[in-house]
Amino acid sequence: MADSGSTQNLAQPVKTDAPAAQAQEEKETRRQFNYPLVRFCDMSEEVRVEAVDMVVTAVEKHIGNYEAASKTIKESMDKRAGSSWHVVVGEGFGFEITHEMKNLLYMYFGGNLGILVWKAS
């Protein structure tokens, strides 16, 4: 059981310029996780490299606009490898899909942004 004297010994938070400090911390976090992390891919090496490059380019082009990024990725994959590609871009989602063999990519970019690309006829 703590008495009132023990709570006075706790360190008080240092008051700083909160918005500037938070922006700096966010910038450093983005710098640390600004690389693609492929969680699962059954594509051939050549197609995987091209798909990851397309995803990274689209996400960097449409920062914060996941719908536009997914549309760009889908259109690029449709042109590159035929139609019937599907794309999900977002944070905190789960999935259970049916896909064609050798046509699935699940990756993260920027830390917590998940990207799922698959082909289904």
Side-chain angles (χ1 to χ4, degrees):
M1 183 167 167
D3 61 359
S4 62
S6 64
T7 59
Q8 294 173 358
N9 295 335
L10 297 175
Q12 297 297 320
V14 178
K15 294 185 180 183
T16 61
D17 186 18
Q22 186 177 11
Q24 180 66 23
E25 182 179 324
E26 183 177 324
K27 185 177 178 183
E28 289 176 10
T29 302
R30 286 187 182 195
R31 188 180 313 134
Q32 290 174 350
F33 298 112
N34 202 14
Y35 59 90
L37 175 65
V38 176
R39 292 288 303 197
F40 180 79
C41 182
D42 66 354
M43 298 176 173
S44 66
E45 184 68 21
E46 177 184 316
V47 177
R48 181 188 66 81
V49 169
E50 288 183 25
V52 169
D53 287 343
M54 280 187 237
V55 167
V56 169
T57 302
V59 170
E60 287 178 343
K61 183 178 178 184
H62 303 286
I63 297 172
N65 189 351
Y66 303 152
E67 186 176 348
S70 64
K71 187 174 182 178
T72 301
I73 296 165
K74 180 193 175 1
E75 290 171 353
S76 298
M77 291 301 291
D78 282 346
K79 288 177 187 173
R80 198 262 177 232
S83 62
S84 299
W85 285 91
H86 306 280
V87 181
V88 176
V89 178
E91 299 175 16
F93 65 89
F95 64 92
E96 184 175 331
I97 59 169
T98 303
H99 66 94
E100 291 183 10
M101 296 297 294
K102 306 289 184 191
N103 289 300
L104 174 68
L105 170 67
Y106 177 49
M107 63 179 281
Y108 287 101
F109 183 72
N112 60 348
L113 182 63
I115 299 104
L116 176 64
V117 181
W118 78 98
K119 185 174 185 177
S121 352

